[in-house]
Amino acid sequence: MGCGSSSIKIRKSAKTIRAALIIQNWYRGYRARLKTRQRYALTIFQSIEYADEQGQLQLSNFFSFMLENYVHIQEKDPTLVNRLFGCAPLDDRGRQECVGIIEIPDSYIGPRLQFPLNSNSLNVMIEAFKQQQILHAYYVLEILFETKEAMKQMPNFNHIRTCPTKEITICGDLHGKLEDLLLIFTKNGLPSGYNPYVFNGDFVDRGKCSIEILMILFVSFLLYGDDLCLNRGNHEDFLMNMRYGFTKEVLSKYKIHGKKILQVLEEVFAWLPLGTIIDDEILIMHGGISESTDLNLLHHIERNKMKSVLMPPVPVDKDVGTETKKTKGYMPRGVKLSGSPSDYLTKHEWEQVIDILWSDPRGKRGCYPNTSRGGGCYFGPDVTTKFLNKNRLKLLIRSHECKPEGYEVCHDGKVITVFSASNYYEEGSNRGAYIKVGFSTNLRFFQYQVTKATCLGPLHQRVNTIESSAIRILKERIISRKTDLIHSFQLQDRTKSGKISMGQWAFSMENVLGLNLPWRSLSSHLVLTDQDGNIDYMTCFHDIHIQKPVKEAQSALIETLYRYRSDLQIIFNVIDSDHSGLISMEEFHSMWKLFCSHYNLHIGDSQVDELAERMDLNKDGSIDFNEFLKAFYVVHQLDNLHKSKTQLA
């Protein structure tokens, strides 16, 4: 009796274990599928982000082309030439004359600071920013002028040391996400002489609180300069800021003094150090290295000459001697600059800075062009080992890339990426992280995530949110190339059936868009497939279209203007030196012709002329180009209908 009872219990126990294993295996598979969907979504975000950066860097060539061909520039705005080539003098009326004319009214309810600054100034400012208060332009400019003067005394690379009782905290990209910075301070403490920090660039752009982050970091630097290191990132660049939001943020928050703030910031960014070295063993730079990175040259380069990576390097004209020409620089014909050739970076120096701000590590050996971003390079583990050995270093810590867990270790532990902006692409898309470096190179990693309603939901809900957002921006990319895609599809569709194979569809998508995405896996969300597995390719465009500001405008023109709207906005902003938001019809026509010529766009001038004239609403001969470009936007017709079907499984 006892034995029978025991065997029954054993059988029941075995069934329970088998059931538990089945459930466990199912859950593991379910979770793995969710993680795969999340990874695909992050790949979409990153591919489109890098493609945009590639377009941004290509503007460098356009600016050279523009200066060579746009004859009005020399006559109307010669200062624009010097600005584009990195030698534009600031409207330097002196700090006192600039700041002294600004009054703080009694009605101002934001934080009030006392100069010289003290630790209480930092606390007051942080508390005010938590309440979404705006720091007065007077204080912003005072802080910027003080920061610029202090930065001028800094070397290209900060050298700091740990000790048994003091760790150094390293933070990566923040990108205007104030909540992440405040969370770091809550967890890790404010900067001080006993709590040193290194912030590794990309403080601004994308997020909504870039100016607040800068004020906190700059005040901390002014208070604890020896224990607060700020490295330059690729977004500390005034032309990048025009595209990715910081310029707009400053002009929106400081409508009267925004232009002056941006001018001073342009100088401050140029004076930011290029990197930090801890204990002569750990090198911290924003991007990475290349096989030609020369740390000795970078220690001695005049970094303030690098105003923007989009500025063509080394000006050389017919009046410049042959010695300068040996630097392989160039200058468009007929363009005259103020200053001597020594006022500018050489092409080699320019490339050195681009490499350390823009490069990314990869598992493949060697060093090859960073085709995704369009600037810098990909460097392999062999390049890392050779560089570290040559410079007697042990470790490279860099940022520049969003990582799902906030950090990533590669190249046999010799390269670490740290990224501190959580929820970078979408709520729940990634964690943020920071690193604490202790005595004898002891590293500790800390992860976090700013939590909101979506971050607290179950995994499948978070993945659906990330996924929906990724597919949305991918569809916007697709519709911007509708004409080109249809042409490619029709070349494959020899029977004119409206259908092509999965392989043909995937080939066309990659050939036209160049995003290096897993199109076959994404197809179920982008197009309809018949029972034979063939793609109804026109279904790519059924639920989305670009709004036409003028109904008669041709689709090819609308797609082109939408696709290049960010590039055009930067170009028009550069021409619009007084930030009025207006350019003349003549400037618009001339610039559009140059743009089409340089980018090999086949759009009839008459189409654009007619559209521009329609957009000149008050018929004064000027165009509000920001409003003009805003008129081209994507309409998602089925946003709500397919929310429940947004899965890439």
Side-chain angles (χ1 to χ4, degrees):
M1 203 81 184
C3 292
S5 175
S6 177
S7 64
I8 292 172
K9 287 182 179 179
I10 291 172
R11 286 197 298 272
K12 285 184 176 180
S13 178
K15 286 182 178 179
T16 301
I17 292 172
R18 282 198 298 271
L21 288 173
I22 291 171
I23 294 172
Q24 184 182 63
N25 288 335
W26 173 86
Y27 181 73
R28 284 176 176 172
Y30 170 72
R31 189 174 178 85
R33 288 191 294 273
L34 286 176
K35 287 294 185 181
T36 299
R37 289 167 51 197
Q38 184 179 32
R39 187 170 66 251
Y40 282 161
L42 292 177
T43 300
I44 293 171
F45 282 125
Q46 197 167 65
S47 295
I48 292 177
E49 176 189 10
Y50 291 175
D52 284 342
E53 289 181 342
Q54 185 177 117
Q56 178 80 351
L57 286 170
Q58 288 171 354
L59 280 177
S60 174
N61 295 328
F62 173 75
F63 285 136
S64 295
F65 179 79
M66 178 183 77
L67 292 173
E68 184 173 345
N69 292 276
Y70 187 26
V71 296
H72 300 289
I73 289 182
Q74 290 294 306
E75 301 169 359
K76 181 178 177 182
D77 194 4
T79 59
L80 172 60
V81 178
N82 290 313
R83 186 184 188 206
L84 280 175
F85 281 88
C87 198
L90 184 67
D91 182 14
D92 197 2
R93 294 171 292 174
R95 170 177 173 174
Q96 186 56 41
E97 186 177 349
C98 172
V99 181
I101 61 175
I102 301 176
E103 295 184 357
I104 303 175
D106 294 336
S107 58
Y108 170 66
I109 58 172
R112 293 181 179 269
L113 307 180
Q114 297 293 325
F115 293 88
L117 298 165
N118 54 50
S119 58
N120 187 55
S121 305
L122 181 61
N123 293 324
V124 167
M125 202 165 56
I126 288 175
E127 290 305 314
F129 291 159
K130 287 180 182 178
Q131 304 301 318
Q132 299 183 334
Q133 294 179 359
I134 303 294
L135 186 65
H136 197 277
Y138 172 87
Y139 298 124
V140 172
L141 285 166
E142 281 280 19
I143 291 168
L144 290 180
F145 275 112
E146 284 205 14
T147 300
K148 186 177 81 168
E149 291 307 310
M151 287 287 182
K152 286 182 177 181
Q153 312 306 314
M154 302 295 292
N156 287 355
F157 287 83
N158 298 294
H159 288 259
I160 56 176
R161 292 192 171 276
T162 59
C163 67
T165 58
K166 185 166 69 173
E167 293 179 301
I168 298 171
T169 302
I170 303 169
C171 299
D173 301 40
L174 287 166
H175 279 300
K177 290 183 170 288
L178 180 61
E179 289 177 319
D180 286 280
L181 179 60
L182 297 181
L183 182 57
I184 292 170
F185 287 162
T186 299
K187 293 169 68 71
N188 193 61
L190 290 173
S192 72
Y194 304 99
N195 192 25
Y197 277 85
V198 177
F199 289 93
N200 197 26
D202 279 13
F203 319 125
V204 302
D205 280 333
R206 302 189 188 278
K208 297 179 180 179
C209 297
S210 294
I211 192 67
E212 286 79 9
I213 285 179
L214 284 183
M215 291 298 100
I216 291 172
L217 296 184
F218 288 163
V219 168
S220 299
F221 166 72
L222 292 170
L223 292 173
Y224 311 109
D226 294 335
D227 295 292
L228 196 291
C229 300
L230 301 175
N231 296 342
R232 186 175 185 176
N234 63 307
H235 278 263
E236 279 67 62
D237 179 313
F238 79 95
L239 286 174
M240 292 289 287
N241 302 153
M242 287 182 182
R243 187 188 199 107
Y244 293 105
F246 181 48
T247 297
K248 183 178 180 181
E249 176 190 332
V250 172
L251 293 176
S252 174
K253 291 178 179 177
Y254 298 97
K255 292 180 172 58
I256 298 175
H257 303 290
K259 179 184 174 183
K260 170 54 71 176
I261 290 172
L262 290 171
Q263 285 180 319
V264 183
L265 272 168
E266 195 174 316
E267 298 287 314
V268 174
F269 285 167
W271 280 108
L272 282 167
L274 302 175
T276 299
I277 298 176
I278 298 177
D279 294 338
D280 297 324
E281 294 182 340
I282 302 175
L283 174 63
I284 307 168
M285 297 190 299
H286 181 72
I289 57 174
S290 73
E291 59 188 358
S292 61
T293 297
D294 185 340
L295 208 53
N296 183 58
L297 184 151
L298 288 167
H299 268 86
H300 296 95
I301 200 172
E302 294 181 75
R303 67 182 187 274
N304 62 300
K305 294 179 180 178
M306 181 68 142
K307 295 298 195 315
S308 172
V309 296
L310 300 186
M311 292 173 172
V314 174
V316 176
D317 63 21
K318 62 183 180 182
D319 297 326
V320 176
T322 57
E323 187 64 31
T324 305
K325 293 180 183 178
K326 292 179 183 178
T327 60
K328 299 182 180 180
Y330 68 92
M331 185 65 178
R333 292 190 309 272
V335 175
K336 300 283 187 179
L337 291 174
S338 63
S340 67
S342 62
D343 292 332
Y344 309 91
L345 289 181
T346 66
K347 185 172 185 288
H348 179 60
E349 292 171 333
W350 183 75
E351 290 170 344
Q352 288 276 312
V353 177
I354 285 182
D355 281 344
I356 66 171
L357 295 183
W358 283 85
S359 296
D360 297 309
R362 289 295 181 267
K364 179 182 175 183
R365 291 173 59 84
C367 184
Y368 41 103
N370 192 328
T371 52
S372 295
R373 295 186 191 269
C377 71
Y378 293 128
F379 60 99
D382 55 321
V383 176
T384 296
T385 299
K386 184 178 179 181
F387 174 83
L388 294 178
N389 290 341
K390 177 184 177 181
N391 293 284
R392 298 179 181 179
L393 297 166
K394 292 184 178 180
L395 178 66
L396 170 64
I397 297 179
R398 42 90 64 179
S399 301
H400 195 44
E401 288 184 288
C402 176
K403 298 298 180 182
E405 297 302 317
Y407 74 94
E408 183 178 85
V409 182
C410 64
H411 292 187
D412 299 320
K414 295 176 182 177
V415 174
I416 298 175
T417 299
V418 59
F419 194 86
S420 299
S422 67
N423 309 312
Y424 178 60
Y425 293 119
E426 183 61 66
E427 293 296 331
S429 64
N430 66 284
R431 303 169 84 178
Y434 58 89
I435 303 171
K436 292 185 77 72
V437 180
F439 193 59
S440 300
T441 322
N442 179 37
L443 303 182
R444 294 193 294 153
F445 298 86
F446 295 83
Q447 298 167 290
Y448 57 86
Q449 192 157 25
V450 174
T451 53
K452 294 182 180 178
T454 52
C455 294
L456 295 173
L459 179 61
H460 74 87
Q461 182 180 326
R462 285 180 278 144
V463 170
N464 283 343
T465 300
I466 299 166
E467 201 173 58
S468 297
S469 181
I471 292 298
R472 183 185 182 92
I473 65 168
L474 179 57
K475 285 190 171 185
E476 291 176 3
R477 199 81 177 191
I478 290 170
I479 198 65
S480 74
R481 301 300 299 270
K482 180 179 178 180
T483 300
D484 295 331
L485 283 168
I486 291 175
H487 177 68
S488 181
F489 295 150
Q490 289 176 342
L491 288 176
Q492 304 279 353
D493 181 20
R494 296 181 180 178
T495 63
K496 310 301 179 186
S497 65
K499 295 182 180 181
I500 54 179
S501 70
M502 176 70 76
Q504 290 172 325
W505 177 80
F507 172 81
S508 295
M509 294 296 284
E510 184 56 37
N511 191 46
V512 173
L513 297 176
L515 294 175
N516 194 28
L517 290 174
W519 294 108
R520 292 172 183 268
S521 299
L522 296 172
S523 63
S524 62
H525 195 76
L526 299 173
V527 286
L528 295 179
T529 308
D530 67 16
Q531 293 179 344
D532 298 323
N534 293 317
I535 301 291
D536 181 353
Y537 53 80
M538 289 305 293
T539 58
C540 276
F541 319 110
H542 277 183
D543 62 347
I544 186 172
H545 71 271
I546 301 173
Q547 183 67 31
K548 291 184 178 182
V550 177
K551 291 183 180 180
E552 295 81 1
Q554 295 183 14
S555 295
L557 170 62
I558 298 301
E559 290 169 24
T560 300
L561 287 169
Y562 177 78
R563 184 162 73 249
Y564 288 105
R565 68 195 185 284
S566 295
D567 295 328
L568 290 168
Q569 192 161 26
I570 291 170
I571 293 165
F572 293 144
N573 267 302
V574 168
I575 297 172
D576 175 33
S577 56
D578 64 352
H579 295 288
S580 67
L582 300 173
I583 57 172
S584 70
M585 196 71 75
E586 180 186 10
E587 288 173 322
F588 179 87
H589 291 162
S590 299
M591 200 53 54
W592 174 253
K593 289 177 182 178
L594 283 177
F595 192 82
C596 286
S597 176
H598 182 71
Y599 284 91
N600 197 28
L601 302 176
H602 304 289
I603 303 292
D605 293 341
S606 59
Q607 296 179 46
V608 181
D609 292 349
E610 182 181 355
L611 187 59
E613 288 170 5
R614 295 267 192 115
M615 298 300 290
D616 179 16
L617 301 178
N618 58 2
K619 305 302 178 186
D620 65 349
S622 296
I623 298 175
D624 184 331
F625 58 85
N626 289 304
E627 291 302 318
F628 175 80
L629 294 171
K630 280 181 186 176
F632 303 92
Y633 60 91
V634 168
V635 176
H636 295 261
Q637 295 167 320
L638 304 177
D639 271 352
N640 297 322
L641 186 60
H642 292 304
K643 275 187 178 178
S644 61
K645 300 181 182 179
T646 311
Q647 293 187 1
L648 306 179

